[in-house]
């Protein structure tokens, strides 16, 4: 996969990032040769019936006590505002909620954990920022919220830990470094709630598929996901 760059100040707001969904298997429904594989987005179940509107009603909503991330989110909002950017309401609601912010950690079958960064400069687009929010236990894959000056916000993943790499910290990086880091980014969801829904449902479905004696009926959202793959295989 590649992202072409024409310079640090180039107007590249229409970069078409490579796309795919990075995840593990779903039992016999969707095999995986290793811990993770990248699946074509068009192969995934459609989510229209999930009615995703940044309210997270399928997880009980975003109300209740505020989370430990509240101050960090406020500081992030201030920094982003200085760059003409803002966090999507759904992302702020999710990580600002005490009962929602732990969901990824609780369901992940590959020991992924939530770890919010501050806004990180994009290696691909001038003025864009990334916010790391989730990482695999061995950093095999790291997920970021990607924020564009246009107001577009979506989710990407990479094998590069941008904050620790600090590639921007010592002056302007070389074009080769920018291109290498940029080419590691793949778009995996058009909204944060879309990512959250797939991540949670797939991990719940994995647990059902790999649990001995789990023969009972699936929850409706899991059944709809499983039916998609069963239909594609028939």
């Amino acid at each position: 996969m590649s992202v072409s760059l024409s310079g640090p100040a180039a107007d590249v707001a229409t970069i078409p990032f490579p796309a795919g969904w990075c995840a593990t298997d779903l039992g016999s429904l969707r095999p995986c040769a290793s811990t993770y594989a990248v699946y074509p987005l068009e192969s995934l179940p459609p989510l229209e019936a999930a009615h995703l509107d940044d309210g997270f009603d399928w997880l009980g909503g975003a109300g209740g006590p505020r989370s430990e991330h509240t101050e960090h989110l406020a500081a992030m909002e201030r920094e982003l505002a200085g760059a003409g950017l803002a966090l999507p309401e759904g992302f702020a609601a999710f990580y600002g909620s005490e009962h929602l912010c732990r969901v990824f950690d609780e369901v992940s079958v590959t020991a992924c954990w939530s770890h919010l960064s501050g806004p990180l400069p994009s290696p691909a687009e001038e003025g864009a920022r990334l916010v790391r929010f989730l990482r695999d236990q061995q950093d095999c894959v790291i997920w970021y919220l990607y924020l564009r000056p246009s107001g577009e916000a979506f989710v990407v993943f990479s094998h590069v830990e941008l904050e620790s790499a600090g590639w921007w910290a010592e002056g302007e990086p070389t074009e080769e470094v920018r291109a290498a880091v940029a080419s590691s980014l793949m778009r995996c969801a058009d909204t944060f709630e879309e990512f959250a829904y797939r991540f949670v449902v797939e991990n719940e479905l994995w647990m059902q598929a790999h649990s001995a004696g789990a023969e009972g009926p699936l929850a409706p959202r899991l059944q709809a996901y499983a039916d998609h793959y069963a239909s594609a295989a028939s």
Side-chain angles (χ1 to χ4, degrees):
M1 55 187 171
S2 63
V3 177
S4 60
L5 301 169
S6 56
D11 180 9
V12 287
T14 57
I15 279 181
F17 284 107
W21 179 252
C22 185
T24 193
D25 72 275
L26 294 176
S28 61
L29 294 172
R30 189 183 70 192
C32 180
S34 187
T35 304
Y36 296 102
V38 178
Y39 303 95
L41 292 185
E42 59 270 21
S43 71
L44 303 180
L47 299 184
E48 289 85 353
H51 305 297
L52 307 181
D53 59 4
D54 284 342
F56 295 93
D57 292 340
W58 53 280
L59 285 174
R66 305 305 294 162
S67 78
E68 62 184 4
H69 301 296
T70 300
E71 291 185 8
H72 181 75
L73 290 168
M76 196 188 309
E77 290 276 26
R78 291 192 294 271
E79 185 174 348
L80 286 170
L85 301 167
L87 290 175
E89 289 184 8
F91 184 91
F94 184 92
Y95 276 106
S97 166
E98 175 64 23
H99 79 276
L100 289 184
C101 73
R102 307 177 189 279
V103 168
F104 295 153
D105 309 57
E106 291 169 350
V107 303
S108 176
V109 299
T110 54
C112 293
W113 55 292
S114 294
H115 190 202
L116 294 181
S117 71
L120 307 171
S122 168
E125 298 178 343
E126 187 72 16
R129 298 289 187 274
L130 295 96
V131 175
R132 184 196 61 233
F133 64 90
L134 185 67
R135 61 199 304 170
D136 168 77
Q137 63 171 336
Q138 296 180 322
D139 284 352
C140 297
V141 57
I142 301 153
W143 289 270
Y144 300 88
L145 181 69
Y146 195 99
L147 305 171
R148 280 177 164 156
S150 65
E152 186 182 12
F154 50 95
V155 178
V156 299
F157 68 89
S158 172
H159 65 278
V160 178
E161 215 297 35
L162 294 174
E163 185 175 38
S164 296
W167 62 273
W168 62 85
E170 299 178 4
E172 184 63 30
T174 65
E175 189 72 9
E176 289 75 17
V177 170
R178 287 174 61 88
V181 177
S183 69
S184 75
L185 302 176
M186 289 192 74
R187 182 170 179 152
C188 62
D190 290 338
T191 70
F192 175 73
E193 191 175 12
E194 177 185 317
F195 170 85
Y197 188 89
R198 290 199 190 281
F199 188 89
V200 170
V201 168
E202 291 203 358
N203 280 274
E204 290 177 337
L205 195 53
W206 188 99
M207 286 186 276
Q208 286 283 333
H210 292 274
S211 295
E215 304 269 334
L218 294 173
R221 69 186 184 208
L222 304 189
Q223 189 64 61
Y225 221 84
D227 287 347
H228 169 84
Y229 284 105
S231 175
S234 62

